[in-house]
Amino acid sequence: MKRITECKSGLSLVIVLLCFMSQLNAQEVLSLEDCRRLAIENNKKLKIADEEVKASEAQKAEAFTKYLPSIDAMGVYLRNQKEINLLADDAHLPVGSISSDGNFTFRPDQLMVGADGKPVMVNGQYVPKDYALLPKEAMTVDERNLGIVQVGLTQPIYMGGKIRAYNQITGLSERLAKSKRSQELQNVILSTDEAYWQIISLVNRKKLADKYVETLTKFVHDVELMHTTGVATKADVLSVRVKLNEGEMVQTKVDNGLSLSRMLLNQICGLPTDTIVMLKEEVADTDVDEVPMESLEQVYSRRPEVASLQLATDIYKKKEKIALSEYLPTIALTANYLSSTPSFFDGVSTKFDGMWSVGVGIKAPIFHWGASRKSLRSAKAQTNAMNYKLQEAKEQIELQVNQSEFKMKEVTKKLAMARKNLERAEENLKFANLGFKEGTIPVLNVLEAQTAWLTANSELIDTQIEARLCKVYLERAYGTLEF
């Protein structure tokens, strides 16, 4: 029996240790930097932005190949129904002589002679006596099986500036993709910080609510004892219980809000929603570092939105050059080798035979119903529209910077006032509790002092979190929010 008892106690100890280790594994402790890192690693929009950067880099590399010669090969096989016959029937060619001056003539013995012994004439022409046969088969080309092979090289020489503009556009597009990625990175950091500090706020509110409920529970017990001794009334007991119920409702709301906020942070960080994340910085009562002031020009140079719009404007300017190139001629050097069967380079042969050729091609637009002019006008309009968007963005950024600076100054004052209000509320609650014990202050005054203490603590927590977020918003407005 003793051994069985020892085994049971040892087994219980093992189970307790396993449960404790599982709880430790379930509760991860993360700092703000850890949450930012996880959010950056798991954010789908950032991954999309990374792929867009890779695509823009590939497009830039592809655009450079337009400067280089291109080599193409082509092969064609055709099965034709009929042969090519240059003669409809057998041909009979007259037999004559070539004179010293190179003319074709007939000697008298080569002409047909009539009954009168004179050469025969038909339609004013002498009729030859002898003919050479040219058979139809000799002038027949068998093209029922036709094969062609061509290898060509094309080197652009002048394309109206189109290739150069295209390369510049792809370079700007690469920078634009990186700028958008930087903008998306700031959005991820901002959403992570908001969720993080929301949890910090609720954690501190939970501590406050727990302490408030604990104080009210003790106060209810004291008032009930006073009611049994006849010192307090039934109304006092009911008032304290109502406050306790209100405190417990606040406690429940905070618990629910904290659970939802943890789920949101888990989703942002790419963790399972049921993961219990313990935050490292669960104390909000710390001073916020001052953010150095920045000039608008420095802000414009850092903000990815301005960079994106500026790059987009430059891209549309390059598109104007592409539209303008439609007015200009294009010149290209070509070199080709063509081989076919049947071939005609040395008589008619069924073997593959070919030749090479080199040339320069020039294409100049003459009349296209004003299409080029209209496309140039469209490109200029798009450039102007992008310029207006850039100006509007700068105006909005200036307003955002001014608002963020104003809110930062305002929250600094509010933080100092909230701390003073908490000191007064704590002092008031201290005297209220002391007076209640001495019987000089009624229950309602104590409840009012406790409510004022709770409100002051809540306002201080809200102001502290607001100060943290205002710092983040100001850094984002300055374009300095980085991981």
Side-chain angles (χ1 to χ4, degrees), residues 110-173:
Q110 294 176 331
L111 298 176
M112 185 179 292
V113 180
D116 56 358
K118 295 180 179 181
V120 179
M121 295 188 68
V122 178
N123 295 328
Q125 300 290 334
Y126 290 108
V127 178
K129 181 178 62 175
D130 300 321
Y131 290 89
L133 176 63
L134 181 61
K136 176 184 177 181
E137 289 78 5
M139 300 301 292
T140 298
V141 180
D142 187 4
E143 280 202 343
R144 289 176 297 177
N145 292 295
L146 176 62
I148 299 174
V149 175
Q150 179 186 8
V151 179
L153 180 145
T154 304
Q155 172 61 60
I157 298 176
Y158 178 72
M159 295 287 122
K162 188 181 302 182
I163 296 179
R164 184 169 179 268
Y166 181 55
N167 274 268
Q168 291 173 342
I169 286 176
T170 54
L172 294 171
S173 298

Side-chain angles (χ1 to χ4, degrees), residues 112-283:
M112 185 179 292
V113 180
D116 56 358
K118 295 180 179 181
V120 179
M121 295 188 68
V122 178
N123 295 328
Q125 300 290 334
Y126 290 108
V127 178
K129 181 178 62 175
D130 300 321
Y131 290 89
L133 176 63
L134 181 61
K136 176 184 177 181
E137 289 78 5
M139 300 301 292
T140 298
V141 180
D142 187 4
E143 280 202 343
R144 289 176 297 177
N145 292 295
L146 176 62
I148 299 174
V149 175
Q150 179 186 8
V151 179
L153 180 145
T154 304
Q155 172 61 60
I157 298 176
Y158 178 72
M159 295 287 122
K162 188 181 302 182
I163 296 179
R164 184 169 179 268
Y166 181 55
N167 274 268
Q168 291 173 342
I169 286 176
T170 54
L172 294 171
S173 298
E174 180 186 10
R175 293 169 56 190
L176 178 60
K178 292 180 179 178
S179 178
K180 289 183 177 179
R181 200 262 181 195
S182 177
Q183 183 176 352
E184 191 60 44
L185 176 62
Q186 290 192 359
N187 292 336
V188 172
I189 293 175
L190 180 62
S191 61
T192 305
D193 286 16
E194 288 177 341
Y196 185 90
W197 290 113
Q198 177 67 21
I199 294 178
I200 299 299
S201 174
L202 291 172
V203 167
N204 284 272
R205 280 181 171 273
K206 176 177 172 53
K207 294 178 180 178
L208 180 63
D210 293 343
K211 186 176 181 181
Y212 182 65
V213 170
E214 181 183 355
T215 302
L216 284 176
T217 302
K218 183 179 179 182
F219 192 56
V220 167
H221 178 70
D222 294 340
V223 173
E224 287 177 347
L225 289 178
M226 295 174 65
H227 176 258
T228 55
T229 58
V231 177
T233 63
K234 184 66 175 179
D236 294 334
V237 176
L238 293 176
S239 298
V240 175
R241 287 179 178 176
V242 169
K243 284 294 181 180
L244 178 59
N245 291 335
E246 292 177 356
E248 290 174 347
M249 290 179 62
V250 171
Q251 192 179 33
T252 302
K253 290 180 180 180
V254 170
D255 289 337
N256 294 336
L258 183 59
S259 299
L260 294 175
S261 298
R262 291 189 187 278
M263 290 181 184
L264 176 60
L265 184 62
N266 290 337
Q267 188 270 330
I268 292 175
C269 295
L271 300 174
T273 54
D274 58 348
T275 303
I276 301 176
V277 177
M278 302 301 294
L279 302 184
K280 183 178 180 180
E281 301 163 346
E282 291 191 348
V283 179

Side-chain angles (χ1 to χ4, degrees), residues 288-335:
V288 178
D289 297 333
E290 184 178 356
V291 180
M293 303 291 288
E294 301 281 348
S295 65
L296 286 177
E297 293 301 325
Q298 291 175 326
V299 171
Y300 294 153
S301 64
R302 291 195 182 100
R303 287 293 291 264
E305 298 93 333
V306 176
S308 298
L309 290 173
Q310 185 63 59
L311 290 170
T313 303
D314 294 339
I315 288 174
Y316 280 109
K317 288 181 180 179
K318 301 304 177 183
K319 288 184 177 181
E320 289 183 28
K321 293 185 178 181
I322 292 179
L324 182 62
S325 67
E326 300 298 330
Y327 285 98
L328 304 176
T330 57
I331 304 173
L333 172 67
T334 61

